[in-house]
Amino acid sequence: MSYLEIKNFTKSFGGLQVLKGIDVSIEKSEVLTIIGSSGSGKTTLLRSINFLETPDSGQMLLEGELLFDAAKANQYSDAEIRQKRLNFGLVFQSFNLFPQYTVLKNVTLAPGLLAETSLKKQGLKGRELKRAVHERKLEIEKEGLELLEKVGLTEKKDSYPCELSGGQCQRVAIARAMALKPLVLCFDEPTSALDPELTGEVLRVIKELKESTNMTMIIVTHEMGFAKNVSDKIVFMAEGLVEEEGAPSEVFDNPKSPKLKAFLQGVNSEI
């Protein structure tokens, strides 16, 4: 049984079917990279996994437990969807940092709000609640500093996003996604908004995270050399379907699908 299983995900926007029956699985601590041409459905699949889109059909299982069933999608409350979404962290293409907050505040804001909500649900009130929130936020700040150290930005903890390079902003976004301790960390084209000279620093951080943590990751990227070097498994999507999948050596060095062969010929210089 796989750690995360996607079964028969379909998704249409109006008359356009973007996902046509996707089956994908990933083992715990694996890095799964999804490649393919623009419009193949990669980002829609990633957004569906993160509960930012609702598939028209299909199921998702995490650790063997049914996490989502499209047949029951209208029965899930907003609170249930938010809770399910916490299993996943998503690093967007365009950072989405809060410009009014420092780097450290960006990383710790969501965990702090969740902690306060949790403590209130435990029935704490008044001074007892205030003390517990303060203690938990001190712990969260310490964890935030540790995450910034992991992405090489300790010295920027008091800076604001406008004072950072694009590569630094994306590294803050990675730390922020990890701060909620997701079971699966997802990246949607994490270098697409960066200048070429800044791409390397972000890819280096992701590779270091793979080597230093047991984080399960799903990455959508056009960086083929990176995908080949960092991934345990590659999924090639074409026209809303999984056209081919396998180990990086199989997919890149011995492609079987004509569509994959054509795709790789177009990006061969990167590998």
Side-chain angles (χ1 to χ4, degrees), residues 15 61 111 147 164 179 186 190 194 204 208 210 233 246 249 265 271:
L61 289 82
L147 287 172
L164 305 180
C186 303
L194 302 179
R204 186 167 56 252
E208 289 171 355
K210 169 184 166 61
K233 182 178 180 180
S249 58
Q265 286 176 356
I271 302 175

Side-chain angles (χ1 to χ4, degrees), residues 177-218:
M178 293 180 66
L180 288 172
K181 302 176 182 177
L183 297 180
V184 181
L185 184 59
C186 303
F187 298 85
D188 182 17
E189 296 285 4
T191 61
S192 66
L194 302 179
D195 294 332
E197 64 269 21
L198 298 176
T199 294
E201 68 182 70
V202 172
L203 297 182
R204 186 167 56 252
V205 165
I206 297 173
K207 188 173 183 180
E208 289 171 355
L209 287 176
K210 169 184 166 61
E211 295 169 351
S212 64
T213 71
N214 291 318
M215 182 69 71
T216 305
M217 301 185 192
I218 302 175

